[in-house]
Amino acid sequence: MPRNTKRQKQPEEEHTHLAIRVERCEASVEAAINYNVYTPQTAWNSDDDDPLYRFTSRLTVAGTSTYPEERAGDTYEVTIYGDNLGSDDIRATLKDVQARDEHGSPKYRQYRGRQIPIYDPPPGIGLIDKIRGEPRWTAWLRVSPRVTSDALALLRNGRSLFLAIHERKRGRTRWVQSVSLQTTDPAEE
């Protein structure tokens, strides 16, 4: 006779705030002509208003987690891409994520006598992955080039730096909700 066991319900979303002490970083920048000019047949998401010249920067920051306790000592490698070509997600506005009804009209709800918009937020700005069998994690995210240049300016100042990452886990996928490079330890805030 099969056993009748009840499964515990997994929380729909789990939020974790990580504090990572930065130990090393690598950076690169690139300037090129938009590759869609040379191969327009492969430019599926091309837009005539995209820039002709492409400027990208890549910043890889690595360090060790100090918070939360259960992940303290784990190593992280976070790759931050800055790109002026910008996908629609980087240049998106609140209007772009407003929920729509079956006719394409924006949805609203009543709140304290006012109509407020209903949003369909994106899952995150990047992904976090665990390296199987090791206390090691990788993450990547796409940002505007200004964020990478500001981060490089902070990295040059010689002070100890920390990454604060707000991670949101939904199902088996971990999303970067927000990231901050700062001179104060986020575990102490």
Coordinates of all heavy atoms in Angstrom, one line a residue, residues 21-83:
R21 N 32.0 40.9 0.0 CA 33.3 41.7 0.1 C 34.0 41.5 -1.2 O 34.4 40.4 -1.6 CB 34.1 41.3 1.3 CG 35.4 42.1 1.4 CD 36.4 41.6 2.5 NE 35.7 41.9 3.8 CZ 35.3 40.9 4.6 NH1 35.4 39.7 4.2 NH2 34.7 41.2 5.7
V22 N 34.2 42.6 -1.9 CA 34.9 42.6 -3.2 C 36.4 42.3 -3.0 O 37.1 43.0 -2.2 CB 34.7 43.9 -4.0 CG1 35.5 44.0 -5.3 CG2 33.2 44.2 -4.2
E23 N 36.9 41.3 -3.7 CA 38.3 40.9 -3.6 C 39.1 41.2 -4.9 O 40.3 41.5 -4.9 CB 38.4 39.5 -3.3 CG 37.9 39.2 -1.9 CD 37.7 37.7 -1.6 OE1 37.8 36.9 -2.5 OE2 37.3 37.4 -0.4
R24 N 38.4 41.2 -6.0 CA 39.1 41.5 -7.3 C 38.1 41.9 -8.4 O 36.9 41.7 -8.2 CB 39.9 40.3 -7.8 CG 39.1 39.1 -8.3 CD 39.9 38.0 -8.9 NE 39.1 36.8 -9.2 CZ 38.3 36.7 -10.2 NH1 38.3 37.6 -11.2 NH2 37.6 35.6 -10.4
C25 N 38.6 42.5 -9.4 CA 37.7 42.9 -10.5 C 38.5 42.9 -11.8 O 39.7 43.0 -11.8 CB 37.1 44.3 -10.2 SG 38.3 45.6 -10.3
E26 N 37.8 42.8 -12.9 CA 38.3 42.8 -14.2 C 37.4 43.7 -15.1 O 36.2 43.7 -14.8 CB 38.4 41.5 -14.9 CG 39.3 40.5 -14.1 CD 39.1 39.0 -14.6 OE1 38.3 38.8 -15.6 OE2 39.7 38.2 -14.0
A27 N 37.9 44.5 -16.0 CA 37.1 45.3 -16.8 C 37.6 45.4 -18.3 O 38.7 45.1 -18.5 CB 37.1 46.8 -16.2
S28 N 36.6 45.6 -19.2 CA 37.0 45.8 -20.6 C 35.9 46.7 -21.2 O 34.8 46.8 -20.7 CB 37.0 44.4 -21.3 OG 35.7 43.9 -21.4
V29 N 36.4 47.5 -22.2 CA 35.5 48.3 -22.9 C 35.7 48.1 -24.4 O 36.8 47.6 -24.8 CB 35.7 49.8 -22.6 CG1 35.3 50.1 -21.2 CG2 37.1 50.2 -22.9
E30 N 34.7 48.3 -25.2 CA 34.7 48.1 -26.6 C 33.9 49.1 -27.4 O 32.9 49.5 -26.9 CB 34.1 46.7 -26.9 CG 34.1 46.3 -28.4 CD 33.4 45.0 -28.7 OE1 32.8 44.4 -27.8 OE2 33.4 44.6 -29.9
A31 N 34.5 49.5 -28.5 CA 33.7 50.4 -29.4 C 33.7 49.7 -30.8 O 34.8 49.2 -31.3 CB 34.4 51.8 -29.5
A32 N 32.6 49.7 -31.4 CA 32.4 49.0 -32.7 C 31.3 49.6 -33.5 O 30.4 50.3 -32.9 CB 32.3 47.5 -32.5
I33 N 31.2 49.2 -34.8 CA 30.0 49.6 -35.6 C 29.0 48.5 -35.3 O 29.3 47.3 -35.1 CB 30.4 49.6 -37.1 CG1 31.4 50.7 -37.3 CG2 29.1 49.7 -37.9 CD1 31.9 50.7 -38.7
N34 N 27.7 48.9 -35.2 CA 26.6 48.0 -34.9 C 26.7 46.9 -35.9 O 26.6 47.1 -37.1 CB 25.3 48.8 -35.0 CG 24.1 48.0 -34.5 OD1 24.1 46.8 -34.6 ND2 23.1 48.7 -34.1
Y35 N 26.8 45.7 -35.4 CA 26.9 44.5 -36.2 C 25.7 44.2 -37.1 O 25.8 43.6 -38.1 CB 27.2 43.2 -35.4 CG 26.3 43.1 -34.2 CD1 25.0 42.5 -34.4 CD2 26.6 43.5 -32.9 CE1 24.2 42.3 -33.3 CE2 25.8 43.3 -31.9 CZ 24.5 42.7 -32.0 OH 23.7 42.6 -31.0
N36 N 24.5 44.8 -36.8 CA 23.3 44.7 -37.6 C 23.5 45.3 -39.0 O 22.8 45.0 -39.9 CB 22.1 45.3 -36.9 CG 21.7 44.4 -35.7 OD1 22.0 43.3 -35.6 ND2 21.1 45.1 -34.8
V37 N 24.4 46.3 -39.1 CA 24.7 46.9 -40.4 C 25.3 45.9 -41.4 O 25.0 45.9 -42.6 CB 25.7 48.1 -40.2 CG1 26.2 48.6 -41.6 CG2 25.1 49.2 -39.4
Y38 N 26.1 44.9 -40.9 CA 26.7 44.0 -41.8 C 25.9 42.7 -42.0 O 26.1 42.1 -43.0 CB 28.1 43.6 -41.2 CG 29.0 44.7 -41.0 CD1 29.3 45.2 -39.8 CD2 29.5 45.4 -42.2 CE1 30.2 46.3 -39.6 CE2 30.4 46.5 -42.0 CZ 30.7 46.9 -40.8 OH 31.5 48.0 -40.6
T39 N 25.0 42.4 -41.1 CA 24.2 41.2 -41.2 C 22.8 41.5 -40.9 O 22.2 41.0 -39.9 CB 24.7 40.0 -40.3 OG1 24.8 40.5 -39.0 CG2 26.1 39.6 -40.8
P40 N 22.1 42.3 -41.7 CA 20.7 42.7 -41.4 C 19.8 41.5 -41.4 O 18.7 41.5 -40.7 CB 20.3 43.7 -42.4 CG 21.3 43.5 -43.5 CD 22.6 42.9 -42.9
Q41 N 20.1 40.4 -42.1 CA 19.2 39.2 -42.1 C 19.2 38.5 -40.8 O 18.2 37.8 -40.5 CB 19.7 38.3 -43.2 CG 21.0 37.6 -43.0 CD 22.2 38.4 -43.4 OE1 22.1 39.6 -43.7 NE2 23.4 37.8 -43.4
T42 N 20.1 38.7 -39.9 CA 20.1 38.1 -38.6 C 19.6 39.1 -37.5 O 19.6 38.7 -36.3 CB 21.5 37.5 -38.2 OG1 22.4 38.6 -38.2 CG2 21.9 36.5 -39.2
A43 N 19.3 40.3 -37.9 CA 18.9 41.3 -36.9 C 17.4 41.2 -36.6 O 16.6 42.0 -37.0 CB 19.3 42.7 -37.4
W44 N 17.0 40.2 -35.8 CA 15.6 40.0 -35.6 C 15.0 41.1 -34.8 O 13.8 41.5 -35.0 CB 15.4 38.7 -34.8 CG 15.9 37.5 -35.7 CD1 17.0 36.8 -35.5 CD2 15.3 37.0 -36.9 NE1 17.1 35.8 -36.4 CE2 16.1 35.9 -37.3 CE3 14.2 37.3 -37.6 CZ2 15.8 35.2 -38.5 CZ3 13.9 36.6 -38.7 CH2 14.7 35.6 -39.1
N45 N 15.7 41.6 -33.8 CA 15.1 42.7 -32.9 C 15.7 44.0 -33.3 O 15.7 44.9 -32.4 CB 15.4 42.3 -31.5 CG 14.7 41.1 -31.0 OD1 13.6 40.8 -31.5 ND2 15.3 40.3 -30.1
S46 N 16.1 44.2 -34.5 CA 16.7 45.5 -34.9 C 15.6 46.6 -35.0 O 14.5 46.3 -35.3 CB 17.4 45.3 -36.3 OG 18.0 46.5 -36.7
D47 N 16.1 47.7 -34.6 CA 15.2 48.9 -34.7 C 15.9 50.0 -35.4 O 17.1 50.2 -35.2 CB 14.9 49.4 -33.2 CG 13.9 50.5 -33.2 OD1 13.5 51.0 -34.2 OD2 13.6 50.9 -32.1
D48 N 15.2 50.7 -36.3 CA 15.9 51.7 -37.1 C 16.5 52.9 -36.3 O 17.3 53.6 -36.7 CB 14.9 52.3 -38.1 CG 14.6 51.3 -39.3 OD1 15.4 50.4 -39.5 OD2 13.6 51.5 -39.9
D49 N 16.0 53.0 -35.0 CA 16.5 54.0 -34.1 C 17.6 53.6 -33.3 O 18.1 54.3 -32.5 CB 15.3 54.5 -33.2 CG 14.3 55.3 -34.0 OD1 14.7 56.0 -35.0 OD2 13.1 55.2 -33.7
D50 N 18.1 52.3 -33.5 CA 19.3 51.8 -32.7 C 20.5 52.6 -33.1 O 20.6 53.0 -34.3 CB 19.5 50.4 -33.0 CG 18.6 49.5 -32.2 OD1 17.9 50.0 -31.3 OD2 18.6 48.2 -32.5
P51 N 21.5 52.8 -32.2 CA 22.7 53.6 -32.6 C 23.5 52.9 -33.7 O 23.5 51.6 -33.7 CB 23.4 53.7 -31.3 CG 22.5 53.3 -30.2 CD 21.4 52.5 -30.8
L52 N 24.2 53.6 -34.5 CA 25.1 53.0 -35.5 C 26.3 52.5 -34.8 O 26.9 51.5 -35.2 CB 25.4 54.1 -36.6 CG 26.4 53.6 -37.6 CD1 25.9 52.4 -38.4 CD2 26.7 54.8 -38.6
Y53 N 26.8 53.2 -33.8 CA 28.0 52.8 -33.2 C 27.7 52.1 -31.8 O 26.8 52.6 -31.1 CB 29.0 54.0 -32.9 CG 29.4 54.6 -34.3 CD1 28.7 55.8 -34.7 CD2 30.3 54.0 -35.1 CE1 29.1 56.4 -35.9 CE2 30.6 54.6 -36.3 CZ 30.0 55.7 -36.7 OH 30.4 56.3 -37.9
R54 N 28.4 51.0 -31.6 CA 28.1 50.3 -30.3 C 29.2 50.5 -29.4 O 30.4 50.3 -29.7 CB 28.0 48.8 -30.7 CG 27.8 47.9 -29.5 CD 27.7 46.5 -29.9 NE 27.3 45.7 -28.8 CZ 27.3 44.4 -28.7 NH1 27.8 43.7 -29.7 NH2 27.0 43.8 -27.6
F55 N 28.9 50.8 -28.1 CA 29.9 51.0 -27.1 C 29.4 50.1 -25.9 O 28.3 50.2 -25.4 CB 29.9 52.5 -26.6 CG 30.2 53.4 -27.7 CD1 29.1 54.2 -28.2 CD2 31.4 53.5 -28.3 CE1 29.4 55.1 -29.3 CE2 31.7 54.4 -29.3 CZ 30.6 55.2 -29.8
T56 N 30.3 49.2 -25.6 CA 30.0 48.3 -24.5 C 31.1 48.3 -23.4 O 32.3 48.5 -23.7 CB 29.8 46.8 -25.0 OG1 31.0 46.4 -25.7 CG2 28.7 46.7 -26.0
S57 N 30.7 48.0 -22.2 CA 31.7 47.8 -21.2 C 31.3 46.6 -20.4 O 30.1 46.2 -20.3 CB 31.7 49.0 -20.3 OG 30.5 49.3 -19.8
R58 N 32.3 45.9 -19.9 CA 32.1 44.7 -19.1 C 32.9 44.8 -17.8 O 34.1 45.0 -17.9 CB 32.4 43.4 -19.8 CG 32.2 42.1 -19.1 CD 32.6 40.9 -19.8 NE 34.0 40.9 -20.2 CZ 35.0 40.6 -19.4 NH1 34.8 40.2 -18.2 NH2 36.2 40.6 -19.9
L59 N 32.3 44.6 -16.7 CA 32.9 44.6 -15.4 C 32.6 43.3 -14.7 O 31.5 43.0 -14.5 CB 32.4 45.8 -14.6 CG 32.9 46.1 -13.2 CD1 34.4 46.3 -13.3 CD2 32.2 47.2 -12.6
T60 N 33.7 42.6 -14.3 CA 33.5 41.4 -13.5 C 34.0 41.6 -12.1 O 35.2 42.0 -12.0 CB 34.2 40.2 -14.2 OG1 33.7 40.1 -15.5 CG2 34.0 38.9 -13.4
V61 N 33.2 41.5 -11.1 CA 33.5 41.7 -9.7 C 33.4 40.4 -9.0 O 32.4 39.7 -9.1 CB 32.6 42.8 -9.1 CG1 33.0 43.0 -7.7 CG2 32.7 44.1 -9.9
A62 N 34.5 40.0 -8.3 CA 34.5 38.7 -7.5 C 34.7 39.0 -6.1 O 35.5 39.9 -5.7 CB 35.5 37.8 -8.1
G63 N 34.1 38.2 -5.2 CA 34.3 38.3 -3.8 C 33.7 37.2 -3.0 O 33.2 36.2 -3.6
T64 N 33.8 37.4 -1.7 CA 33.3 36.4 -0.8 C 32.1 36.9 0.0 O 32.1 38.1 0.5 CB 34.4 35.9 0.2 OG1 35.5 35.5 -0.6 CG2 33.9 34.8 1.1
S65 N 31.1 36.1 0.2 CA 29.9 36.5 0.9 C 30.1 36.6 2.4 O 30.8 35.7 2.9 CB 28.7 35.5 0.6 OG 27.6 35.8 1.3
T66 N 29.6 37.6 3.0 CA 29.7 37.8 4.5 C 28.3 37.6 5.1 O 28.3 37.5 6.3 CB 30.3 39.1 4.8 OG1 29.5 40.2 4.4 CG2 31.7 39.2 4.3
Y67 N 27.3 37.7 4.3 CA 25.9 37.7 4.8 C 25.0 37.2 3.7 O 25.2 37.5 2.6 CB 25.5 39.1 5.3 CG 24.1 39.1 5.9 CD1 23.9 38.8 7.2 CD2 23.0 39.4 5.1 CE1 22.6 38.8 7.8 CE2 21.7 39.5 5.7 CZ 21.6 39.2 7.0 OH 20.3 39.2 7.5
P68 N 24.0 36.4 4.0 CA 23.6 35.8 5.3 C 24.5 34.6 5.8 O 25.3 34.1 5.0 CB 22.2 35.3 5.0 CG 22.2 35.0 3.5 CD 23.2 36.0 2.9
E69 N 24.3 34.3 7.0 CA 25.1 33.2 7.6 C 25.2 32.0 6.8 O 26.3 31.4 6.7 CB 24.6 32.9 9.0 CG 24.9 34.0 10.1 CD 26.4 34.1 10.4 OE1 27.1 33.0 10.5 OE2 26.9 35.2 10.5
E70 N 24.1 31.5 6.3 CA 24.1 30.2 5.6 C 24.9 30.2 4.3 O 25.2 29.2 3.8 CB 22.7 29.7 5.4 CG 21.8 30.5 4.5 CD 21.0 31.6 5.4 OE1 21.3 31.7 6.6 OE2 20.1 32.2 4.8
R71 N 25.2 31.4 3.8 CA 25.9 31.5 2.5 C 27.3 32.3 2.8 O 28.0 32.6 1.8 CB 25.1 32.2 1.5 CG 24.1 31.2 0.9 CD 23.0 31.7 0.1 NE 23.3 32.3 -1.1 CZ 22.3 32.8 -2.0 NH1 21.1 32.7 -1.7 NH2 22.7 33.4 -3.1
A72 N 27.6 32.6 4.0 CA 28.9 33.2 4.3 C 30.0 32.3 3.9 O 30.0 31.1 4.2 CB 28.9 33.6 5.8
G73 N 31.0 32.9 3.3 CA 32.2 32.1 2.8 C 32.0 31.7 1.4 O 33.0 31.3 0.8
D74 N 30.8 31.7 0.8 CA 30.7 31.3 -0.6 C 31.3 32.4 -1.5 O 31.3 33.6 -1.1 CB 29.2 31.2 -1.0 CG 28.5 30.0 -0.3 OD1 29.2 29.2 0.4 OD2 27.3 29.8 -0.6
T75 N 31.8 32.0 -2.6 CA 32.4 33.0 -3.5 C 31.4 33.3 -4.6 O 30.6 32.5 -5.1 CB 33.7 32.5 -4.1 OG1 33.4 31.3 -4.8 CG2 34.8 32.2 -3.1
Y76 N 31.5 34.6 -5.1 CA 30.6 35.1 -6.1 C 31.4 35.8 -7.2 O 32.4 36.4 -6.9 CB 29.6 36.1 -5.5 CG 28.5 35.5 -4.7 CD1 28.8 35.1 -3.4 CD2 27.3 35.3 -5.2 CE1 27.8 34.5 -2.6 CE2 26.3 34.7 -4.4 CZ 26.5 34.4 -3.1 OH 25.6 33.8 -2.4
E77 N 31.0 35.6 -8.4 CA 31.5 36.3 -9.5 C 30.4 37.0 -10.3 O 29.5 36.3 -10.8 CB 32.3 35.4 -10.5 CG 33.0 36.1 -11.6 CD 33.9 35.2 -12.4 OE1 35.0 34.9 -11.9 OE2 33.5 34.8 -13.5
V78 N 30.3 38.3 -10.3 CA 29.2 39.0 -10.9 C 29.7 39.8 -12.1 O 30.7 40.6 -12.0 CB 28.6 40.0 -9.8 CG1 27.5 40.8 -10.4 CG2 28.2 39.3 -8.6
T79 N 29.1 39.5 -13.2 CA 29.5 40.2 -14.5 C 28.4 41.2 -14.8 O 27.3 40.8 -14.9 CB 29.7 39.1 -15.6 OG1 30.7 38.2 -15.2 CG2 30.2 39.8 -16.9
I80 N 28.9 42.4 -15.0 CA 27.9 43.5 -15.3 C 28.2 44.0 -16.7 O 29.4 44.4 -17.0 CB 28.1 44.7 -14.3 CG1 27.9 44.1 -12.8 CG2 27.2 45.8 -14.5 CD1 28.4 45.1 -11.7
Y81 N 27.2 44.0 -17.6 CA 27.4 44.4 -18.9 C 26.7 45.8 -19.1 O 25.5 45.9 -18.8 CB 26.7 43.4 -19.9 CG 27.3 42.0 -19.9 CD1 26.7 41.0 -19.2 CD2 28.4 41.8 -20.7 CE1 27.3 39.7 -19.2 CE2 29.0 40.5 -20.7 CZ 28.4 39.5 -19.9 OH 29.0 38.3 -19.9
G82 N 27.4 46.7 -19.7 CA 26.9 48.0 -20.0 C 26.9 48.1 -21.5 O 28.0 47.9 -22.1
D83 N 25.8 48.5 -22.2 CA 25.7 48.5 -23.6 C 24.8 49.6 -24.1 O 23.7 49.7 -23.6 CB 25.1 47.1 -24.0 CG 25.2 46.9 -25.5 OD1 25.4 47.8 -26.3 OD2 25.1 45.7 -25.9

